Amino acid sequence: MTDREEILRTPRLRLTTWLPSDLDDLAALHADGEVMRHMTTGPQSRAAARERLEAFIAEHRARGWSKWRVEGASGFLGRAGFGLAHGSGHREVGYLLARAAWGAGLATELTQALRQWHEDHPEPALAPELRAYVLPGNEASCRVLEKAGFRAVGEEDGQLVFESGRP
C-alpha cells in the first residue's frame, strides 16, 4: 500500500487508511496517559502500537473496514472506525483522539459520520445495529454517543454498552 485511500470526509475531518510510516503518530497517541485513560489497555508501548498499526492495515485489506487514521486541518488527530464487538455479532464503533482535538465537537462529528458509513456499508454476517463500549466514568464519550443517536442498552465485561437503532 503506497497511497492512502480516503474512507470518508466530514466538514472538518478526513479518515484514511494507514501507511507503515504512520507509526510515530499512532505510537505517540497510544503512549499519552491522558488520551488512554478510558481505554482498557491504558498507555501502550511503541511495540504495541506497531502491532495495532499492522492489524489495522491487515483488517482493512481483508474486510474493507477497520480503525482508520483521522486527520484535521492541522494534520494527524487520532484513529477511528470499527472492530468486532466482543463476540456479539455486531460491529463496534470506536475512536481515540489526541488532546488537541478535544472539546470542539469533533468526536460527535466523527461518530455520526461513522454511524452513517456503517449504515451505508452493511456487513451481511453481522447484526445491523452498531455497538459502542464505554468504561464507566467516561461521561464525555457517553454524551458523544447519545448525540450521535446511540442508546445505553446494558453492561458487559465491566463496560457500558451502547447501540444504534436499526438502520
Side-chain angles (χ1 to χ4, degrees):
M1 185 185 319
T2 57
D3 294 326
R4 290 189 197 285
E5 177 186 342
E6 184 172 292
I7 305 302
L8 66 87
R9 216 178 248 277
T10 73
R12 299 180 290 169
L13 301 170
R14 178 176 178 246
L15 273 74
T16 68
T17 53
W18 296 94
L19 298 175
S21 59
D22 292 325
L23 178 59
D24 288 344
D25 288 338
L26 189 63
L29 183 73
H30 282 232
D32 186 320
E34 189 62 20
V35 168
M36 297 296 286
R37 181 168 49 117
H38 294 293
M39 301 298 286
T40 57
T41 62
Q44 293 185 313
S45 68
R46 184 175 181 82
R50 181 186 314 278
E51 287 178 21
R52 280 198 184 253
L53 178 63
E54 291 169 356
F56 295 158
I57 291 170
E59 287 170 353
H60 180 80
R61 282 183 183 153
R63 62 186 184 206
W65 51 273
S66 183
K67 302 268 185 351
W68 298 298
R69 178 183 170 91
V70 179
E71 300 172 352
S74 63
F76 177 76
L77 292 178
R79 66 170 174 86
F82 308 101
L84 291 173
H86 301 238
S88 70
H90 292 81
R91 240 187 220 150
E92 173 185 356
V93 67
Y95 61 87
L96 190 62
L97 296 176
R99 285 189 259 175
W102 294 2
L106 294 175
T108 301
E109 182 177 318
L110 183 58
T111 303
Q112 289 168 334
L114 287 167
R115 181 177 177 185
Q116 187 62 55
W117 190 96
H118 167 79
E119 292 174 6
D120 293 344
H121 300 86
E123 184 69 45
L126 298 175
E129 299 86 10
L130 183 59
R131 284 205 169 166
Y133 295 79
V134 179
L135 286 174
N138 187 348
E139 296 304 320
S141 283
C142 291
R143 283 191 305 277
V144 163
L145 291 167
E146 289 165 358
K147 288 180 196 174
F150 286 74
R151 67 190 183 290
V153 297
E155 204 173 305
E156 185 178 310
D157 297 329
Q159 297 182 71
L160 306 174
V161 180
F162 288 78
E163 205 169 86
S164 66
R166 287 187 176 266

